[in-house]
Amino acid sequence: MRFRFCGDLDCPDWVLAEISILSKITSVKMKLLCAQIIKNLLGDDIDYDKVHKITSDAKYEIGDVKASIAALTFILSSAVKHNVDGESLSNELQQLGLPKEHSTALCRTYESKRDVVREKFREESFRVNKLEGVDWRVDYIVSSNKVSEINEPSIQLQLKIGNPDTETTESTTFSVSADKFRVLLSEMKEVQRQMESLVE
């Protein structure tokens, strides 16, 4: 069976196995546990003391606690990633065997923070470094300590690359021969042409 929160794929077997463990806690405690998971998805640490208190009446072992956290993290993050509404998520979790009260409690917490978590995911999604600038100069090399006569141009390039994660700019400097520079320039023009054709 295919589920929207799994990206229209089958639910992983390990998540199915954890549904019965999640059913052991009350729906109120499910809501509190989901709040801890969402807090973690937003970048804060999980308060494991609170999690232990939440799960203590269900007599969870340490492995059950870890498995529950992993399963809820998967369910909530996948639902956000695939932009599943709370009602659909609730129905799908009930189809997997989670009691209605539990899935309703989970989905209330999910719905209240879905947009915030989605925005956080968007901020942390894959981002490509940005070329901030290029400095160049052409040197004419007459000779070197190894060769007495060279008489060739050499291109010095300095690329300034902005890292979106650290918000810093790093410089990379290198030299290329005139022939290699012509190849580089030709290939970069081809890349630009292909990128422009994708935009049209």
Side-chain angles (χ1 to χ4, degrees):
M1 197 166 190
R2 300 183 184 280
F3 297 93
R4 283 185 56 208
F5 82 94
C6 295
D8 289 323
L9 299 172
D10 289 339
C11 185
D13 291 339
W14 68 271
V15 175
L16 287 172
E18 301 314 320
I19 294 290
S20 63
I21 292 173
L22 291 171
S23 301
K24 291 180 184 176
I25 60 174
T26 66
S27 58
V28 172
K29 298 214 171 168
M30 170 67 84
K31 188 175 182 179
L32 295 171
L33 190 56
C34 288
Q36 286 295 314
I37 303 300
I38 287 180
K39 183 175 135 181
N40 183 248
L41 292 176
L42 291 172
D44 293 333
D45 292 332
I46 292 176
D47 186 341
Y48 286 100
D49 291 334
K50 276 189 182 177
V51 170
H52 183 69
K53 287 177 188 173
I54 292 168
T55 57
S56 62
D57 65 335
K59 297 184 174 42
Y60 274 17
E61 294 178 15
I62 192 73
D64 294 335
V65 172
K66 289 179 180 179
S68 297
I69 289 171
L72 286 173
T73 301
F74 174 82
I75 291 167
L76 293 168
S77 63
S78 295
V80 169
K81 183 168 75 170
H82 298 293
N83 200 23
V84 179
D85 62 281
E87 188 176 333
S88 297
L89 180 60
S90 178
N91 290 336
E92 289 183 351
L93 291 174
Q94 287 174 54
Q95 289 174 22
L96 292 173
L98 192 67
K100 184 175 182 177
E101 309 81 44
H102 290 64
S103 60
T104 302
L106 183 149
C107 291
R108 278 195 194 124
T109 307
Y110 165 74
E111 276 292 330
S112 69
K113 297 289 185 180
R114 180 177 64 172
D115 294 336
V116 179
V117 174
R118 191 168 178 77
E119 186 58 36
K120 178 74 172 173
F121 283 7
R122 187 175 288 120
E123 289 171 11
E124 293 180 348
S125 65
F126 176 72
R127 293 183 287 178
V128 178
N129 292 346
K130 181 180 178 186
L131 183 63
E132 300 282 342
V134 177
D135 289 333
W136 60 275
R137 76 170 194 254
V138 178
D139 295 333
Y140 192 79
I141 301 175
V142 179
S143 66
S144 73
N145 62 348
K146 294 182 180 170
V147 181
S148 61
E149 197 173 310
I150 297 176
N151 293 326
E152 286 184 4
S154 174
I155 292 87
Q156 305 289 320
L157 291 170
Q158 181 182 44
L159 305 179
K160 295 175 183 165
I161 300 166
N163 185 330
D165 295 326
T166 61
E167 296 181 3
T168 59
T169 301
E170 299 170 10
S171 293
T172 303
T173 305
F174 58 96
S175 300
V176 291
S177 66
D179 291 336
K180 286 185 180 179
F181 180 75
R182 282 189 204 97
V183 171
L184 175 66
L185 185 60
S186 170
E187 288 179 355
M188 294 304 290
K189 285 180 179 178
E190 177 62 20
V191 168
Q192 183 178 16
R193 188 191 64 73
Q194 288 181 9
M195 290 175 70
E196 287 172 351
S197 72
L198 292 174
V199 173
E200 295 172 356

